[in-house]
Amino acid sequence: MTEPIARIEAALKRLGEEHEPPVGWEARVLAATATPKAKPWWWFAFPVVALAVIAIVVFAWHSTLDQPLQLSVDREKGAVAVRGDSAHVGDIVHAKATGGSRYRAVWVYREDHLVVACPGAPQCRRDGKATIADLVLDTIGEYTIVALTSSSPVPAPAGQLDADLGKTAEMGVHQEHKTLKVR
Amino acid sequence: MAPFEPKLSRKTRRVRQRHLKMQAAERILMDPDSDVVGLVANGDMTGALRRLMERYGTPLYRYCREALRDATLADDVQQQVFIEAHRDLSKFTGLSTLRTWLFAIARHRVLDAAKSRRRVQAHIEPGDAISVPDPRRSPDELIDDQRILEALVGCLDQLPDKVRTVLLLRFQQGFTFEELAQICGEKPGTLQAKVTRALPLLRACIENRTGGSL
């Protein structure tokens, strides 16, 4: 007679002999493990290209934004040595207008009368997006340097400080000014 | 307290690692599924999977089915095991045979499935049915093999999941205790003790269910 435990072990061995996996199970496993089709090379390049385009657009948009109008006045001492830091005849002034809208202008007045109007005068030059007036201070007096900017062309000055500034202000032209006393 | 382990020099560690690698390589060569390992090494994962399914699809399904007592669940788990095997075949290190490795995955998935099912059933079923002896037989009468088999199915259900899976792996699938240790992550002696304790319980349960003696 077979041992009872041996009979149980034999029964355990036979357990489930009649069962077979359902038909088509292998196909289902293969379908689940099928590797996705390899993506073309440009699929990987796409995010990089997209980011580059976005960066260019943002940069271009940012550069078109209006920067605030700034007027800086630098002074070079003239050939004649004088005491003190104040402006003297013979000094050279560099009036530089930067930022602002599409059109910029620099006007220099002495005692309310126009001396130089940039752009247009021989003392004018451009440096990148800056409009610069280089002026030799040849006469004693009070100089008023005005930087103007507008999205439309700035009208030509008539020659009188108050009238010119009043007219441009009415037209919505933005202005910045500084004064300089020359002894 | 952890046993004292002497600090090994870098050279000794390197020699030991090389030795372990060589052992793993030898095991792979001796593995009856070394052809599958070869296919994996050549990058033919689908070919390797096909061979594994061909060899172990049916035994693995039977193991899942008897461990879970649910054809649909067994089907799901069996497929899941092969999908995972396909995913991890490239990481197979040869520390065990491929068959042992595959059944280790199966055991984990079976225990997970049994756990999830128990959680669901805890809200539905009131409890296990009480086993009633068959009144047609006298206690002294010998039970035939078919009746043992029928009673065994119900008795296995009463064992804890981990013990049931060990019994099935040992007797239905024929794993040695050393292989079982690799599958279950326990010592061979511990597993042998589990089996030794479970068999008399099964005997008592079968005799109780059939009303005869084995």
Side-chain angles (χ1 to χ4, degrees):
Chain A
M1 197 182 86
T2 321
E3 281 286 314
I5 296 297
R7 292 187 75 192
I8 295 172
E9 289 178 5
L12 278 165
K13 194 176 179 181
R14 292 203 319 275
L15 207 60
E17 268 180 348
E18 70 281 16
H19 300 309
E20 290 289 332
V23 178
W25 73 273
E26 285 165 310
R28 285 194 290 278
V29 171
L30 287 171
T33 55
T35 46
K37 197 180 164 188
K39 294 181 172 64
W41 66 269
W42 53 261
W43 194 91
F44 298 99
F46 180 76
V48 179
V49 173
L51 278 175
V53 168
I54 290 168
I56 290 166
V57 168
V58 167
F59 179 77
W61 174 74
H62 185 74
S63 63
T64 58
L65 280 181
D66 287 353
Q67 301 292 318
L69 176 67
Q70 287 190 323
L71 171 64
S72 62
V73 178
D74 296 325
R75 184 163 52 81
E76 266 181 58
K77 290 227 171 192
V80 182
V82 288
R83 283 183 184 171
D85 284 335
S86 55
H88 291 87
V89 172
D91 291 353
I92 301 166
V93 163
H94 306 288
K96 183 177 179 183
T98 53
S101 303
R102 188 178 171 192
Y103 296 96
R104 268 184 310 276
V106 177
W107 298 342
V108 182
Y109 295 84
R110 186 181 64 241
E111 308 298 356
D112 296 351
H113 294 286
L114 185 69
V115 182
V116 174
C118 292
Q123 298 96 325
C124 305
R125 63 185 165 98
R126 285 184 70 88
D127 182 10
K129 286 191 169 184
T131 303
I132 303 168
D134 300 312
L135 178 71
V136 179
L137 303 174
D138 53 0
T139 313
I140 290 171
E142 188 177 82
Y143 287 74
T144 304
I145 301 157
V146 186
L148 305 100
T149 186
S150 172
S151 52
S152 52
V154 178
Q160 288 293 319
L161 178 65
D162 291 339
D164 291 343
L165 294 189
K167 185 181 168 189
T168 50
E170 277 174 21
M171 293 173 69
V173 176
H174 184 65
Q175 307 163 355
E176 290 285 325
H177 19 101
K178 286 186 175 173
T179 54
L180 188 68
K181 283 191 176 170
V182 179
R183 297 178 194 163
Chain B
M1 197 175 151
F4 172 73
E5 282 183 15
K7 197 176 177 184
L8 300 171
S9 70
R10 190 178 292 177
K11 189 180 174 185
T12 313
R13 278 203 304 271
R14 222 175 14 236
V15 168
R16 184 180 273 189
Q17 277 176 355
R18 200 180 306 150
H19 181 65
L20 287 172
K21 276 184 185 173
M22 280 173 69
Q23 275 187 334
E26 278 171 18
R27 264 196 297 267
I28 286 174
L29 285 173
M30 290 175 71
D31 191 335
D33 295 311
S34 56
D35 57 328
V36 180
V37 179
L39 287 172
V40 173
N42 289 333
D44 184 5
M45 307 306 275
T46 310
L49 177 67
R50 275 181 196 277
R51 252 181 230 186
L52 280 182
M53 289 197 296
E54 196 179 297
R55 281 174 203 172
Y56 302 118
T58 304
L60 211 137
Y61 173 76
R62 285 177 183 158
Y63 162 70
C64 295
R65 175 135 186 186
E66 294 309 322
L68 293 164
R69 302 295 309 153
D70 182 327
T72 313
L73 199 53
D75 183 28
D76 287 348
V77 170
Q78 181 225 25
Q79 288 179 36
Q80 186 59 38
V81 169
F82 282 105
I83 290 166
E84 278 188 34
H86 176 262
R87 188 193 65 197
D88 297 337
L89 260 175
S90 56
K91 297 178 205 159
F92 177 69
T93 51
L95 289 173
S96 64
T97 61
L98 255 178
R99 177 173 172 254
T100 306
W101 178 75
L102 200 63
F103 273 87
I105 301 174
R107 178 181 168 268
H108 277 113
R109 294 293 78 82
V110 160
L111 290 175
D112 287 349
K115 203 171 170 183
S116 322
R117 184 179 56 186
R118 213 170 26 250
R119 219 174 287 142
V120 173
Q121 284 178 342
H123 299 285
I124 304 166
E125 292 181 358
D128 291 334
I130 300 160
S131 56
V132 180
D134 187 340
R136 291 175 294 177
R137 301 268 173 151
S138 71
D140 297 333
E141 198 175 344
L142 270 180
I143 315 160
D144 63 69
D145 288 348
Q146 186 53 38
R147 280 170 56 80
I148 291 176
L149 211 56
E150 285 165 14
L152 180 63
V153 168
C155 290
L156 275 174
D157 277 350
Q158 293 183 356
L159 292 175
D161 293 335
K162 286 189 175 177
V163 177
R164 186 167 60 247
T165 55
V166 169
L167 284 173
L168 287 170
L169 290 168
R170 173 77 185 101
F171 298 111
Q172 187 200 40
Q173 300 300 326
F175 283 105
T176 63
F177 283 110
E178 282 70 27
E179 288 171 325
L180 273 180
Q182 290 174 329
I183 293 174
C184 304
E186 290 182 57
K187 288 180 181 166
T190 312
L191 292 163
Q192 198 164 1
K194 272 185 187 173
V195 170
T196 309
R197 277 199 305 271
L199 287 171
L201 291 175
L202 277 181
R203 180 187 175 179
C205 174
I206 291 167
E207 287 181 342
N208 184 37
R209 278 183 174 240
T210 54
S213 65
L214 278 163

